Amino acid sequence: MAFRPSQHNRTISAGLAAILLVTVASFLGRNAAAASTTRSRREMMQQTNAQSSDAWLLQMLAGMRSPLSKAESDRFAELYKKTGSVGDLCEAGKLYCDAKSFNLYYQNLLQFDGKKQEKDISVFFRETELLVGREISIEDPRLQSAALEKNRLQLAEFDTPSGSVGMSKYNYLNVAKMPERSFLPAELAQTLPFSSDSAVKVFQLDPSSILAQESAKTFQICQEGIHKDGTTELNGEAAACATSLEALQSLVRSPMLLGPHDAANVKALSTDERLHSGSSFRGKVVKVSLEASVEQRHAVCHNLMYPSAVYFCHYLQRTRVYTVMLQPLDAAGAQQRHLVRAIAMCHMDTTGWNPRHLAFQNLLTLPGHGEACHWVLQGSMTFVPTA
């Protein structure tokens, strides 16, 4: 289900970017005031560096805003209505339509040390690992992506066992560094068709290309997997997709995800970009904060592949969200100066998950036998209530 922004939310000036800017400003202000009286200058520097993920989130969203003016957007909309073509929209709108380069990207994504198997890549962990003073390792996001995608392809080869639908048909944990793309302007996103073959017809992609296939999978997640009421086949999940920045703004504020009360009071969380650097990370837990309990609603938005930016946002019941502050350690175990912030999500009930899911290979357990936690990494955003 592609989310349509309401009429009063079709300008982004006071929208999602403003939400995030206010969140960052108030967060920095509160902590700076406290730090000035209770912490040393070194601790202040650590805290400031740990908060850089907020700036990264703002920068990411700003970079995805369409470069098209209103007049240019209208011109492409009229061009499509008259000819069924979008002309040079890919270049003018900073979209991604290069099927050959995406094929290389995808092939590289699936390559890792041939001595390792998917189960050897640690993506999932237990909630008990989030303890102050504990040393933890976070796998290279590229290896996590490879393991998850290979597992998804394996799951697709088998019929889902009766009663085991969760986390099997779709993989929402795409932590790969996606090719950079901009959103479409809201009106243009509503004019151009969004269907299983729209990437082929609208953007003239080779239907046999991996980019076309991934784009069709995105539509499948956004349309075929989400019912009209916003629910999915996963038990207790509410979800929708946003195909424009304005739609993402409306979706984050939608009661469907965060409920009628919390939708008006949200803050954005993101993992520090230094954990996306393309290498494994080792650190010591110095602080763990529960951001959303199993009784609280939250929203997580994942970057899906399509020629233009598309985000899948969902809320899943019986899940906890944590902010974890980490003290980086070097290869010799020496502590580094700057703290790093990571967002962890723990699914407390895995009863309906496919028994072949990577989580159970990592944890050496079965569906329904304990929780499965993972880090919210590259290209994903988490929104939680502020009260």
Side-chain angles (χ1 to χ4, degrees), residues 6-7 17 50 58 62 71 111-112 135 162-163 185 198 204 212 238 247 250 258 275 284 324 328 333 344 359 379 384:
S6 58
Q7 184 65 36
L58 289 169
Q111 292 180 356
F112 55 84
E135 290 187 13
S162 177
S198 58
Q204 302 296 303
S250 293
L258 288 166
L275 291 181
K284 180 181 291 185
V324 183
V384 298

Side-chain angles (χ1 to χ4, degrees), residues 18-96:
I19 297 172
L20 299 177
L21 282 170
V22 170
T23 298
V24 175
S26 61
F27 185 70
L28 290 175
R30 289 196 307 271
N31 285 278
S36 65
T37 57
T38 63
R39 297 179 180 175
S40 68
R41 181 172 181 177
R42 178 179 178 181
E43 289 174 319
M44 285 177 62
M45 291 176 65
Q46 291 177 334
Q47 185 68 25
T48 300
N49 278 276
Q51 293 162 354
S52 65
S53 61
D54 287 314
W56 167 78
L57 179 57
L58 289 169
Q59 183 178 8
M60 180 188 74
L61 287 173
M64 298 175 74
R65 187 173 183 176
S66 176
L68 298 176
S69 66
K70 177 67 166 56
E72 290 172 324
S73 177
D74 291 344
R75 178 174 65 82
F76 281 113
E78 287 302 314
L79 177 64
Y80 178 79
K81 291 176 182 178
K82 292 179 179 179
T83 68
S85 170
V86 291
D88 62 345
L89 175 60
C90 285
E91 182 177 355
K94 291 187 178 179
L95 308 184
Y96 188 90

Side-chain angles (χ1 to χ4, degrees), residues 4-12 186-187 190 246 249-250:
R4 301 295 191 186
S6 58
Q7 184 65 36
H8 68 280
N9 277 329
R10 288 185 179 175
T11 56
I12 194 62
E187 288 76 9
Q190 294 180 28
E246 294 85 347
Q249 169 198 340
S250 293

Side-chain angles (χ1 to χ4, degrees), residues 193-208:
F194 182 55
S195 63
S196 59
D197 59 356
S198 58
V200 173
K201 292 183 176 179
V202 175
F203 300 103
Q204 302 296 303
L205 298 182
D206 178 354
S208 65

Side-chain angles (χ1 to χ4, degrees), residues 110-169:
L110 295 183
Q111 292 180 356
F112 55 84
D113 188 345
K115 297 180 180 179
K116 288 188 175 182
Q117 298 180 358
E118 295 82 76
K119 64 182 179 63
D120 300 321
I121 306 299
S122 298
V123 178
F124 294 89
F125 56 91
R126 290 296 194 191
E127 189 178 28
T128 52
E129 294 187 37
L130 303 178
L131 293 176
V132 174
R134 185 182 184 114
E135 290 187 13
I136 61 174
S137 296
I138 301 177
E139 289 270 20
D140 180 345
R142 294 175 299 182
L143 294 181
Q144 293 192 45
S145 293
L148 286 164
E149 182 63 8
K150 286 188 174 184
N151 182 235
R152 186 191 68 80
L153 294 174
Q154 291 173 354
L155 293 177
E157 296 178 1
F158 300 93
D159 292 331
T160 302
S162 177
S164 299
V165 296
M167 301 296 282
S168 58
K169 185 175 181 180

Side-chain angles (χ1 to χ4, degrees), residues 342-359:
I343 307 303
M345 183 163 292
C346 292
H347 302 277
M348 306 308 295
D349 183 5
T350 60
T351 302
W353 292 25
N354 192 310
R356 299 185 182 91
H357 194 277
L358 181 62

Side-chain angles (χ1 to χ4, degrees), residues 309-369:
V310 174
Y311 267 84
F312 170 85
C313 300
H314 65 144
Y315 157 69
L316 191 61
Q317 291 181 341
R318 297 176 292 280
T319 301
R320 292 175 182 163
V321 179
Y322 291 94
T323 291
V324 183
M325 302 302 297
L326 301 166
Q327 184 87 55
L329 302 175
D330 63 18
Q335 295 184 1
Q336 304 299 296
R337 183 175 63 179
H338 303 313
L339 297 184
V340 172
R341 181 168 63 188
I343 307 303
M345 183 163 292
C346 292
H347 302 277
M348 306 308 295
D349 183 5
T350 60
T351 302
W353 292 25
N354 192 310
R356 299 185 182 91
H357 194 277
L358 181 62
F360 307 120
Q361 299 179 44
N362 282 170
L363 302 174
L364 301 178
T365 187
L366 297 170
H369 290 217

